[in-house]
Amino acid sequence: MKKLYILSSILALSTSALAQAPVPVNLQPSAIITLPAGATPNALAVSDFNQDNRRDVAVCQRGLGSVGVYLQSSSGTFPDPAVSTYAIGDNPTGLVATALSQQQTRSSMDLVAISPVTGRFQLLTNNNDRSGTFTPVVNTGMQNTFFSNRGTNQHMFVANIDGNLQPDFVYTYDPAPPVTTSAGVYWQQLQSPTSVESSPRTFHRPGFNTSSVALADFNRDSHMDMVLTNPNANQVKVVAAAFNGVSISWSIGQFTLDLPTGGIRPVSVATSDVNRDFLPDLAVANEGSNNVTVLLNQGGTQFGTQALYSLSGSPRQVLLTDLNRDNEPEMLVLTADNRLQVFQHTGASGITRYGTPLILATGDNPVTMQIADVDGDFNSDIVVGCAGDNTVRVYLNRSILSTRSKQLAGVSVFPNPATDQITIQSAGTLRGLITASLLDPLGREVYRTETTAVSTAISVADLPRGVYLLRLTAPEGIMSQRIVIQ
């Protein structure tokens, strides 16, 4: 009986500890970048372009057919005008920062943009002279073309699809009706610092114009799967990669799932583990019903019961990211009523997983947002592009301040540069878990693990070559180190 009482007491204490309120999310409006009249920003790339250890912002200025680069000053502002501007072609719709060269002497990120009108990738090579300026690659003949030039709203992101350690450019293609057979997602591989392969590869043709796509390993087979929004059918389609022992294919897929969202016209999808079961779940923004659907991954080929969260206006974009370092992702939604709505993860399950959102005012007509550590405090900040008033607005994450002055000692990371793996070695005097996060040049988390071991190896063989930030968090403090993967 006494043992039962002790066990009950331990469970009660554990439950009490788990029920403690998480650190409140605190985002503060900060710098505003004023773009030229008519810029109409629609895509952002955030990285250190001039090697001063401060994150800068490149803006796809759709209305001007250009990319503008805005450098962050030591005071945290972004002086106007842009330090440099580059013509991309009419109505550019995509922009990413990536490393076009694997040379160790190059530490600055380059830029790649696309224009559906010209049907070309425009590669911008960083001059790597601390000026934050770029040299456009001159395209000749069919160089750097992508699938067709009839798409109207093609979006792009960079990933490592085939594991060959070179950046791959993934983009959507949405031809005008009644053409639908070629609609879908395509990708092309970087072949040299000045050239993208000329033949597009089919990622998946679902037979409808998708408005958003995200990648994750949904079925735990170590291969990246995809999820696409289907606005006309009020569904998302999950496509599992098929592996034959030699190559991976998504054209047909190991299996596909059509999942109703419970909302109307899904326009954006994000993926992250929202319930700590190590399976990526889905958040889907529905513009026709002003809500977000969360679908839980139950493993295999099953996704669970929907949870719907109401919004004050039509959503434009949804993202999932941990803002207060409790290992639970917050849900961020841009809405057409000029708001950034931040749903903090409560740690609970079911509909109470996300509570009443924190509401932040944006500029007119917010259309795109990026997550990045803008001010160098190791917290994820939010950058929002507003097409209506031609501004880019920065929201600094002040959720956690106390850890900024604590420096983690007794930890070494090697080798650096690395090729296949890096090892984290502690002195054996640290208490509790060490959380290791690897962030890409845009501040996005590409790897996370928790360990109590003195020595932990992290595989980096499948990551694109470039510069990353390794962040270690332990009860004693934090440590960050720039890692070069070559």
Side-chain angles (χ1 to χ4, degrees):
M1 188 69 161
K2 185 175 182 180
K3 290 182 179 179
L4 180 59
Y5 173 77
I6 294 173
L7 179 59
S8 299
S9 299
I10 293 173
L11 289 174
L13 288 172
S14 300
T15 302
S16 174
L18 289 173
Q20 290 180 358
V23 175
V25 169
N26 179 10
L27 291 176
Q28 295 295 322
S30 182
I32 298 177
I33 304 174
T34 302
L35 308 177
T40 319
N42 66 336
L44 305 169
V46 184
S47 187
D48 178 9
F49 297 125
N50 62 343
Q51 301 167 277
D52 64 354
N53 295 317
R54 288 187 287 267
R55 293 291 173 87
D56 310 305
V57 179
V59 185
C60 184
Q61 301 175 144
R62 184 171 189 172
L64 302 178
S66 65
V67 167
V69 178
Y70 296 82
L71 301 182
Q72 184 177 179
S73 70
S74 58
S75 62
T77 61
F78 293 82
D80 177 42
V83 67
S84 53
T85 302
Y86 306 93
I88 300 300
D90 290 345
N91 295 312
T93 59
L95 178 67
V96 296
T98 189
L100 296 176
S101 172
Q102 307 305 320
Q103 296 179 8
Q104 294 187 40
T105 57
R106 290 185 51 80
S107 57
S108 298
M109 298 299 289
D110 308 297
L111 291 168
V112 178
I114 57 173
S115 164
V117 175
T118 64
R120 289 186 184 271
F121 294 95
Q122 179 58 66
L123 279 57
L124 302 173
T125 303
N126 196 309
N127 291 328
N128 205 41
D129 57 2
R130 299 183 180 274
S131 66
T133 59
F134 298 76
T135 298
V137 171
V138 178
N139 294 321
T140 59
M142 297 300 292
Q143 183 182 8
N144 295 329
T145 57
F146 63 90
F147 188 79
S148 186
N149 62 356
R150 295 175 295 167
T152 58
N153 197 31
Q154 291 171 286
H155 302 286
M156 176 180 63
F157 60 92
V158 65
N160 185 16
I161 302 301
D162 53 5
N164 74 338
L165 309 182
Q166 290 281 9
D168 301 312
F169 301 104
V170 182
Y171 55 91
T172 59
Y173 174 59
D174 57 347
V179 179
T180 58
T181 55
S182 57
V185 184
Y186 295 82
W187 65 283
Q188 289 171 241
Q189 178 189 111
L190 180 71
Q191 291 191 321
S192 77
T194 61
S195 178
V196 178
E197 67 178 331
S198 58
S199 299
R201 307 190 194 191
T202 300
F203 214 158
H204 188 70
R205 293 182 179 180
F208 57 81
N209 287 349
T210 183
S211 54
S212 180
V213 59
L215 305 180
D217 182 6
F218 292 114
N219 58 349
R220 281 175 152 182
D221 64 353
S222 301
H223 301 303
M224 202 64 71
D225 310 307
M226 75 168 67
V227 56
L228 310 92
T229 54
N230 185 352
N232 293 331
N234 302 325
Q235 295 176 335
V236 291
K237 176 184 283 289
V238 176
V239 182
F243 182 63
N244 62 10
V246 178
S247 61
I248 305 173
S249 172
W250 297 265
S251 296
I252 300 175
Q254 180 185 150
F255 64 83
T256 63
L257 300 173
D258 291 312
L259 306 174
T261 68
I264 300 173
R265 283 195 60 78
V267 294
S268 179
V269 61
T271 178
S272 183
D273 179 11
V274 305
N275 59 348
R276 289 197 177 191
D277 62 355
F278 303 103
L279 291 171
D281 308 300
L282 301 177
V284 186
N286 305 294
E287 74 168 0
S289 49
N290 294 357
N291 56 21
V292 177
T293 307
V294 173
L295 295 166
L296 296 183
N297 187 348
Q298 296 182 331
T301 61
Q302 299 295 319
F303 280 78
T305 307
Q306 303 165 350
L308 291 172
Y309 300 90
S310 297
L311 304 168
S312 61
S314 296
R316 298 287 178 72
Q317 185 181 1
V318 60
L319 291 175
L320 293 168
T321 191
D322 181 10
L323 294 175
N324 58 358
R325 297 191 199 161
D326 63 355
N327 297 321
E328 309 275 18
E330 274 63 58
M331 185 165 63
L332 287 66
V333 190
L334 275 186
T335 52
D337 56 349
N338 305 332
R339 294 182 176 186
L340 170 59
Q341 306 190 35
V342 183
F343 291 80
Q344 179 165 350
H345 200 299
T346 65
S349 59
I351 191 66
T352 59
R353 179 173 287 110
Y354 292 106
T356 302
L358 167 69
I359 303 294
L360 296 168
T362 68
D364 184 35
N365 192 16
V367 294
T368 184
M369 63 177 163
Q370 285 279 346
I371 300 168
D373 177 12
V374 176
D375 57 354
D377 65 352
F378 311 118
N379 289 331
S380 296
D381 307 306
I382 314 300
V383 184
V384 175
C386 303
D389 61 2
N390 298 311
T391 62
V392 174
R393 295 167 186 259
V394 178
Y395 301 83
L396 296 179
N397 185 359
R398 295 293 184 245
S399 303
I400 298 178
L401 297 176
S402 61
T403 58
R404 295 179 66 185
S405 61
K406 296 179 181 179
Q407 295 300 311
L408 191 60
V411 177
S412 58
V413 180
F414 58 89
N416 190 15
T419 301
D420 298 320
Q421 71 175 34
I422 57 176
T423 299
I424 302 170
Q425 183 86 38
S426 72
T429 59
L430 302 180
R431 307 184 309 273
L433 287 175
I434 299 177
T435 300
S437 299
L438 199 60
L439 309 179
D440 71 7
L442 301 182
R444 299 174 299 194
E445 187 176 78
V446 297
Y447 180 88
R448 173 189 286 261
T449 188
E450 294 179 341
T451 181
T452 58
V454 173
S455 180
T456 300
I458 297 176
S459 174
V460 297
D462 291 337
L463 294 176
R465 310 294 89 176
V467 181
Y468 292 79
L469 181 71
L470 176 67
R471 184 172 64 196
L472 305 177
T473 306
E476 290 82 359
I478 64 173
M479 168 187 166
S480 66
Q481 181 171 331
R482 182 172 290 190
I483 302 292
V484 176
I485 301 176
Q486 62 181 23

